[in-house]
Amino acid sequence: MNPTTLLPSTILMNQVDLKTLIQEHGTPLYVMNESYIRHQAQLFKASFQHASFQTEIFYASKAFLTLAMVKLIEEEGLSLDVVSLGELMTAIKAGFPSQRILFHGNNKTLLELQTALKHKVGLIVVDNPHELDLLMSCLTHPQDVLVRLNPGVEAHTHEYISTTKHDSKFGMSIYSGETIEMIERIHNHELLNFCGLHCHIGSQIFDPASFQKEAYLLLEFMKKLKEKHLILTSHLNLGGGFGVRYTEEDDPFDIQIHFKSILNFIQTTCDAFNLDYPRVSIEPGRSIVAQAGVTIYSIGATKTTHSGKQFVFVDGSMADHIRTALYQAKYEAKILERPLVEPQAVYSIAGKACETGDILIHECALPLPQVNEHLVVFTTGAYHYSMASNYNRLLKPAVIFVSEKEARVIVKAQTIDDLLGLDVV
Ligand code: LLP
């Protein structure tokens, strides 16, 4: 399914003309194809199934979370991974069933743990021994937990979004004695139920073999727990990280084929290791929402520098689009009024923030942009709104959901009053 359709004089999302949204809501504007998100949720659910295992899909909230998004995830029957009080309370406020919430984080506070317990979340993923002490200090009832492990798998992605090299801050190494001690403490605690293992090897991963390697190392660890320590493991959570297409350089693997083969691999490895089949889960974030989203900007000045570099300035910035500055991420964009016109030159798309690194797209082939035309940047549904800031006191844009039936605001644009509302003189 394509989230957008290019016509000679505009771009449609479902049947909605993006130009009409600008008239109503202005720019910058995040627009997300709700039908596409539902389609992805259904595709993941249908593909991540196996006759011999129970499976579960936790949508990783950090990619994009609002009350409306929580409702969508609930309606589509996915579970939810949260990592902070804010994400947890967004889920609770939207009425999400707490038994389907999994609580992550490498430094959960006492308040976060207490709140997770109060709302009876389904699973808490313990990251380290200090966190376990905190959890034990505030337990009021039995709690299912997973332990986050670091198997040191090298997934080929940007250093900042790779999470399981040996020096990563996340989880406990499978090679450390401390990890076994921590699991034994959980196993022996009368109110804690040690369910199993969690790992997330990184984000925007294109090689399915990395997930196979991860699964193998975790199953090997499960075997060791069983044989050496007599501890059984009922859950195996492989995290998220499934890559998506930002530009034509990206070549994501086929979810349907890959999920089938990883689940079959887990089955044969369990058989070989003499392990009972665990409940297997994943935590996709980006792959559910990234391609659903576009950001629309108004084009302002253009400038050719003394050295010949051609800039196009837009009315947004790194405050609503940080991924290029942070990860050298690449994007594609079109002029909304002329999406099918052949490009004439390669431009750098820059924002209005006071920062030389405020570049949205370093090399963007476009027809000569005109003042007051609009630029549509594609694949901005994940880690854009959720990573937006108020740098330079710029305001966060609204978010619109476009379904088959309607376009509706799911987050209002921030106002100057909102911005000043927390200041005290
Ligand atoms: N589970 C855990 C434990 C995670 O840490 C993450 C992402 C996910 C699941 C979801 O990964 P996904 O399927 O979305 O790749 N801000 C960065 C991405 C950071 C991801 C952090 N953890 C970016 O914009 O690329």
Side-chain angles (χ1 to χ4, degrees):
M1 177 184 179
N2 263 338
T4 51
T5 312
L6 309 187
L7 298 183
S9 63
T10 195
I11 300 178
L12 299 184
M13 188 175 273
N14 298 333
Q15 289 315 309
V16 174
D17 184 336
L18 292 183
K19 278 194 280 195
T20 62
L21 296 179
I22 302 174
Q23 280 153 20
E24 225 177 300
H25 306 285
T27 58
L29 187 65
Y30 293 118
V31 187
M32 298 185 68
N33 189 331
E34 183 180 349
S35 323
Y36 180 86
I37 302 175
R38 289 186 190 277
H39 169 267
Q40 287 302 95
Q42 287 160 18
L43 175 72
F44 272 65
K45 259 194 101 174
S47 312
F48 197 67
Q49 283 194 10
H50 193 275
S52 307
F53 306 117
Q54 285 190 317
T55 54
E56 187 164 5
I57 298 177
F58 294 89
Y59 166 67
S61 314
K62 68 205 79 178
F64 175 74
L65 197 74
T66 72
L67 294 174
M69 184 64 194
V70 175
K71 288 215 156 81
L72 184 158
I73 290 299
E74 215 235 305
E75 284 162 12
E76 296 302 333
L78 266 53
S79 300
L80 204 59
D81 140 15
V82 302
V83 297
S84 69
L85 190 64
E87 288 183 357
L88 174 63
M89 292 317 293
T90 307
I92 298 294
K93 177 115 196 269
F96 197 83
S98 60
Q99 271 305 305
R100 280 176 24 216
I101 297 178
L102 166 155
F103 196 56
H104 263 306
N106 67 302
N107 193 24
K108 301 175 194 69
T109 63
L110 187 59
L111 176 64
E112 285 174 326
L113 289 168
Q114 285 168 332
T115 312
L117 290 170
K118 177 173 145 206
H119 291 285
K120 298 203 160 54
V121 300
L123 281 165
I124 294 181
V125 184
V126 178
D127 183 89
N128 57 67
H130 165 72
E131 190 175 287
L132 181 58
D133 292 340
L134 273 187
L135 177 61
M136 285 177 169
S137 76
C138 63
L139 273 175
T140 47
H141 55 266
Q143 175 65 51
D144 288 350
V145 299
L146 303 183
V147 167
R148 180 157 183 172
L149 291 185
N150 178 353
V153 173
E154 188 93 37
H156 296 281
T157 184
H158 191 282
E159 189 187 345
Y160 289 0
I161 50 180
S162 139
T163 43
T164 68
K165 286 194 310 195
H166 289 298
D167 56 359
S168 156
K169 71 169 183 167
F170 296 105
M172 300 287 291
S173 170
I174 55 170
Y175 304 105
S176 156
E178 229 190 337
T179 310
I180 300 284
E181 274 169 34
M182 196 171 101
I183 291 174
E184 281 179 328
R185 282 178 67 204
I186 298 171
H187 181 66
N188 295 332
H189 194 284
E190 55 177 359
L191 287 181
L192 289 177
N193 179 23
F194 172 71
C195 291
L197 308 176
H198 170 277
C199 177
H200 170 80
I201 54 173
S203 248
Q204 187 61 352
I205 293 169
F206 290 126
D207 181 5
S210 303
F211 294 101
Q212 190 152 319
K213 193 164 169 202
E214 173 195 15
Y216 183 84
L217 290 169
L218 294 185
L219 290 166
E220 202 176 44
F221 193 79
M222 276 167 64
K223 178 174 185 283
K224 175 171 158 190
L225 280 179
K226 180 181 170 190
E227 291 174 358
K228 274 190 139 176
H229 306 277
L230 307 178
I231 297 177
L232 298 179
T233 310
S234 59
H235 287 48
L236 176 65
N237 183 326
L238 298 174
F242 315 107
V244 305
R245 183 195 178 284
Y246 285 91
T247 70
E248 59 192 10
E249 287 171 16
D250 298 326
D251 187 17
F253 52 78
D254 184 311
I255 289 296
Q256 278 162 306
I257 298 172
H258 162 66
F259 283 172
K260 200 167 180 212
S261 76
I262 187 93
L263 289 169
N264 284 338
F265 174 77
I266 291 172
Q267 182 179 34
T268 48
T269 312
C270 283
D271 290 343
F273 287 171
N274 197 21
L275 290 169
D276 287 343
Y277 298 146
R279 181 184 181 90
V280 184
S281 47
I282 48 171
E283 298 167 343
R286 185 193 319 267
S287 46
I288 303 289
V289 285
Q291 286 175 253
V294 301
T295 315
I296 312 177
Y297 300 99
S298 295
I299 292 171
T302 51
K303 183 186 276 183
T304 304
T305 64
H306 183 61
S307 61
K309 184 165 180 159
Q310 300 195 75
F311 278 111
V312 176
F313 297 154
V314 294
D315 59 350
S317 72
M318 64 196 295
D320 59 70
H321 179 124
I322 188 67
R323 296 193 70 262
T324 304
L326 204 51
Y327 315 117
Q328 298 87 45
K330 293 186 179 163
Y331 289 84
E332 288 171 353
K334 300 268 182 207
I335 291 181
L336 174 55
E337 289 77 4
R338 298 177 288 146
L340 299 176
V341 174
E342 281 297 305
Q344 274 170 277
V346 173
Y347 299 93
S348 280
I349 313 295
K352 57 200 265 72
C354 289
E355 177 97 24
T356 304
D358 176 28
I359 303 284
L360 278 60
I361 307 179
H362 284 278
E363 290 183 350
C364 184
L366 292 174
L368 183 67
Q370 309 291 330
V371 178
N372 291 331
E373 285 188 318
H374 298 93
L375 190 76
V376 177
V377 179
F378 296 94
T379 320
T380 62
Y383 304 109
H384 276 246
Y385 181 71
S386 66
M387 294 180 82
S389 77
N390 287 123
Y391 178 53
N392 283 171
R393 297 224 136 193
L394 291 164
L395 300 173
K396 291 187 192 174
V399 185
I400 312 287
F401 256 10
V402 178
S403 70
E404 300 294 341
K405 285 181 287 182
E406 56 167 4
R408 63 192 168 109
V409 177
I410 61 152
V411 184
K412 291 189 232 167
Q414 215 177 17
T415 63
I416 292 291
D417 283 347
D418 295 331
L419 189 71
L420 295 177
L422 296 178
D423 285 13
V424 179
V425 279

